[in-house]
Amino acid sequence: MAASYDFPQDLTDAQDELRQVRADLQTLYRRVPWSAEPLEAWGTHENAWRPSSRPASLGWDPQDAAEIARLRARELAQAIVTHAYWSEFAPADVLAARDALKRHHEQQMADASS
């Protein structure tokens, strides 16, 4: 049986926000061009061990760049990792507790559906 943790609300809120920020960034990255700055198309030469190429990129538009910068500037991971709650655990137990925090949303969803 997995250990049960009583996470403080601010810690679970930060983890939930981090999950949402990652999802928002992933959505943005799928929409914007591959390069933040305008770049010409390129490709490896025909005898390359691992051929690769990219189309020309117009770069990110200023609104997308600003939104990505805003999301990246959130220091949620730092807030989570340095939270005082982790000082309650022996160093060997922090990993399991941190993993449980990452999965607390899934657990809440499972509990709500039962």
Side-chain angles (χ1 to χ4, degrees):
M1 182 175 176
S4 179
Y5 300 95
D6 187 23
F7 297 115
Q9 187 65 44
D10 65 327
L11 188 56
T12 58
D13 290 347
Q15 182 65 43
D16 291 342
E17 188 175 352
L18 179 60
R19 183 180 304 103
Q20 185 60 52
V21 165
R22 285 179 175 161
D24 293 348
L25 278 169
Q26 188 176 34
T27 299
L28 274 168
Y29 289 145
R30 285 184 181 137
R31 190 180 75 229
V32 298
W34 64 272
S35 173
E37 302 295 326
L39 288 175
E40 295 179 13
W42 61 269
T44 55
H45 64 81
E46 61 198 46
N47 294 324
W49 170 77
R50 184 176 181 195
S52 182
S53 64
R54 291 285 185 160
S57 171
L58 298 175
W60 297 347
D61 68 44
Q63 294 83 9
D64 287 337
E67 180 63 7
I68 289 170
R70 183 187 72 77
L71 291 170
R72 285 180 175 173
R74 301 286 299 137
E75 295 183 347
L76 297 165
Q78 179 181 353
I80 292 167
V81 170
T82 61
H83 196 282
Y85 178 73
W86 306 120
S87 65
E88 298 176 14
F89 295 91
D93 298 329
V94 172
L95 182 61
R98 177 69 180 103
D99 191 51
L101 176 64
K102 289 179 184 179
R103 300 180 196 293
H104 94 276
H105 182 74
E106 297 166 8
Q107 186 61 44
Q108 287 177 334
M109 298 297 282
D111 292 347
S113 67
S114 2

